[in-house]
Amino acid sequence: MIAAPRGSVPIGLSADECLKCNVCTTVCPVARVTDLFPGPKYAGPQAQRFRLGTTLAPGSPGSAALPSPDHTVDYCSGCGFCSTACPADVKIAEMNNRARAALRAGHRPRLRDWLLGQTDLSGRLGTLSAPLANWSLRNGLFRWLIDRVVGIHRHAPLPRFAGRPFRARLGDRHRSADPAGAPPPDRAVVYFHGCAANYYEPHVAKAALDVLERNGFAVIVPPQVCCGLPLISNGLYGSARGRARRNLGVLAAYARAGYRIVGTSTSCTHTLKSEYREMLDLEDDDARVVGEATWDICEFLLDLHDRGRLDTSFGMIERALPYHAPCQLRSHGIGLPALDLFALVPGLDATDMDHDCCGIAGTYGLKSEKYDIAMAVGEPLFRKIRAMGATEAACDSETCRWQIEAATGARLVHPVEILAEAYAAWSGGVAAG
Ligand code: SF4
Ligand code: SF4
Ligand code: SF4
């Protein structure tokens, strides 16, 4: 479900609304740990005045001579806390992202940034050669070379490729690009698995299908490509628009027919809900209907519960479970639905770790020059999880799971895996309310 629109002022011009209150700086996880980034107020609205000065009045006296503050904007992780916290609705994170894209426009993308955006290509190649690819990515010499030559840090948390992509495991579930012949929208949902569940974590996709089917929904898995967020984060807007168009071309037909689109990655669902329009300026009807039809899976399940339609026959799971809410989830503005769902599972003692950012921020913490910053940002969270002695923790975002798992040694799961486990543990009796 789409959050209420955040103001109508265009991203660039929202800088004029800045009250100079510094709230954004106090919530910025990156500015907290490094002097390399001067903080959201400076890199956002303040720098925007320089950008507008040079953009709106080219050649005007003094404007072009102003020193560009933009070299620092690359250190913004794009976590979005500043935009969420700003009382004047200045779109700081979005402004920074656009400034980064503008800096890169007209230049050939850096190989590392281009590679990080090619998630479908790397996923296809990696799953085809999974044993070799997984061995290489855990080989110290190979990782050292990748660090030096490509710029991906040798200790950065890289996931393991699955032996077979999720889509190759799909049985006869509806895979058509066309809703004709699908069950009606009150008995079926469209599943957007994204690249992570397809190539790295098919077990998350399977848990999602199990939980949705348990609740009486047929699951339609139409053709799809990466949502494009890694391209947006790395300033490659042109390629991101190409991915967006391909997804919208398929998903819009379902959305118009009344189907809800449910995703297991808070990053993918936020991209479908908001980023296609806010960042890529895709303001047509396809982007609108898809944005309005998209739900994060925990948001969707909690809505079912609120309407008395969730199957609450959860079996006992007796254990403590630290939970980290990813920043992309906070940008949805939907609260923490996973925690509300965990409360329905008997015996489960889930605790919100109440920490802003694990540091990885999509592909940010993978980069050689950002790795130490990312680890410093996440360290308080890692300490809390280690102090609990937890062997398992939950988080809705894949890159966060990989980061936290690598840093703590705990096994990281998606909330829907816990729900699937709780359904499997049900042995009859009275269901939770
Ligand atoms: S929080 Fe918003 S209003 Fe306050 S300084 Fe930052 S951008 Fe300006
Ligand atoms: S998006 Fe995150 S890292 Fe970037 S300025 Fe805002 S709070 Fe800081
Ligand atoms: S890594 Fe996770 S918590 Fe950190 S910025 Fe990204 S999504 Fe948010």
Side-chain angles (χ1 to χ4, degrees):
M1 186 174 64
I2 198 149
R6 298 177 39 236
S8 55
V9 181
I11 288 173
L13 297 181
S14 71
D16 288 343
E17 310 292 317
C18 177
L19 310 166
K20 303 184 178 59
C21 66
N22 251 334
V23 166
C24 51
T25 306
T26 63
V27 300
C28 176
V30 173
R32 188 172 67 219
V33 301
T34 178
D35 292 338
L36 291 169
F37 183 57
K41 187 178 76 166
Y42 180 77
Q46 225 159 294
Q48 188 70 4
R49 297 203 181 92
F50 287 83
R51 294 178 199 124
L52 291 177
T54 52
T55 306
L56 295 180
S60 65
S63 63
L66 293 173
S68 167
D70 278 348
H71 62 282
T72 62
V73 85
D74 200 42
Y75 280 97
C76 164
S77 75
C79 68
F81 284 108
C82 49
S83 297
T84 308
C86 175
D89 197 24
V90 180
K91 293 160 183 155
I92 313 158
E94 296 83 351
M95 206 176 274
N96 290 351
N97 203 315
R98 287 191 176 207
R100 193 162 38 235
L103 274 179
R104 291 175 187 171
H107 301 283
R108 187 186 300 180
R110 186 174 170 181
L111 173 66
R112 190 258 321 269
D113 298 346
W114 181 85
L115 272 176
L116 289 174
Q118 307 307 313
T119 48
D120 279 314
L121 177 64
S122 56
R124 268 198 301 275
L125 295 177
T127 44
L128 270 176
S129 59
L132 178 64
N134 289 331
W135 177 83
S136 307
L137 293 177
R138 269 134 200 95
N139 177 277
L141 181 60
F142 185 74
R143 288 298 299 268
W144 178 84
L145 264 177
I146 297 284
D147 191 342
R148 300 303 294 261
V149 176
V150 180
I152 294 177
H153 197 278
R154 61 191 181 284
H155 297 313
L158 297 182
R160 300 184 78 85
F161 291 102
R164 268 175 91 206
F166 164 68
R167 293 193 70 83
R169 305 169 190 219
L170 272 175
D172 56 359
R173 289 182 175 90
H174 191 86
R175 292 207 236 175
S176 165
D178 180 341
D186 59 334
R187 289 197 285 112
V189 292
V190 169
Y191 176 46
F192 189 86
H193 48 69
C195 40
N198 194 27
Y199 298 116
Y200 305 110
E201 299 182 324
H203 50 280
V204 171
K206 180 177 183 314
L209 264 56
D210 288 349
V211 168
L212 291 167
E213 288 173 350
R214 172 80 172 227
N215 281 282
F217 290 96
V219 183
I220 303 166
V221 192
Q224 54 194 271
V225 294
C226 166
C227 68
L229 183 60
L231 293 162
I232 297 174
S233 309
N234 284 289
L236 304 171
Y237 283 19
S239 306
R241 281 192 191 97
R243 302 287 196 288
R245 280 284 164 228
R246 285 176 65 186
N247 284 325
L248 292 174
V250 172
L251 298 175
Y254 284 97
R256 280 200 191 88
Y259 291 92
R260 284 160 293 181
I261 301 160
V262 177
T264 36
S265 161
T266 47
S267 309
C268 305
T269 49
H270 187 253
T271 304
L272 296 181
K273 279 184 182 185
S274 310
E275 304 277 63
Y276 284 175
R277 289 180 292 172
E278 282 207 355
M279 296 312 302
L280 299 181
D281 297 323
L282 302 176
E283 281 296 347
D284 55 21
D285 204 51
D286 282 1
R288 184 188 61 77
V289 291
V290 168
E292 289 175 357
T294 300
W295 296 67
D296 194 73
I297 191 159
C298 289
E299 175 191 23
F300 179 78
L301 295 171
L302 187 62
D303 181 69
L304 283 187
H305 182 252
D306 290 346
R307 291 188 288 114
R309 285 198 51 199
L310 184 75
D311 179 347
T312 53
S313 51
F314 293 117
M316 178 81 73
I317 296 186
E318 273 188 297
R319 59 177 181 265
L321 183 72
Y323 169 71
H324 171 61
C327 67
Q328 284 284 356
L329 175 69
R330 296 174 202 260
S331 302
H332 284 245
I334 56 174
L336 305 179
L339 281 180
D340 295 327
L341 293 167
F342 289 155
L344 301 172
V345 178
L348 188 63
D349 180 16
T351 310
D352 180 7
M353 289 294 93
D354 194 22
H355 182 70
D356 48 16
C357 182
C358 71
I360 196 78
T363 59
Y364 181 89
L366 304 180
K367 299 175 179 177
S368 299
E369 74 280 14
K370 316 255 173 48
Y371 174 79
D372 289 338
I373 296 173
M375 293 304 285
V377 165
E379 185 52 31
L381 169 67
F382 310 148
R383 267 203 306 270
K384 276 189 205 172
I385 293 176
R386 285 191 215 110
M388 284 178 72
T391 54
E392 186 181 69
C395 177
D396 319 62
S397 165
E398 56 281 345
T399 50
C400 307
R401 285 195 290 278
W402 305 335
Q403 166 90 334
I404 300 166
E405 191 160 287
T408 65
R411 185 175 93 94
L412 262 288
V413 295
H414 188 289
V416 81
E417 293 181 81
I418 298 287
L419 301 181
E421 182 189 343
Y423 279 137
W426 171 253
S427 57
V430 180

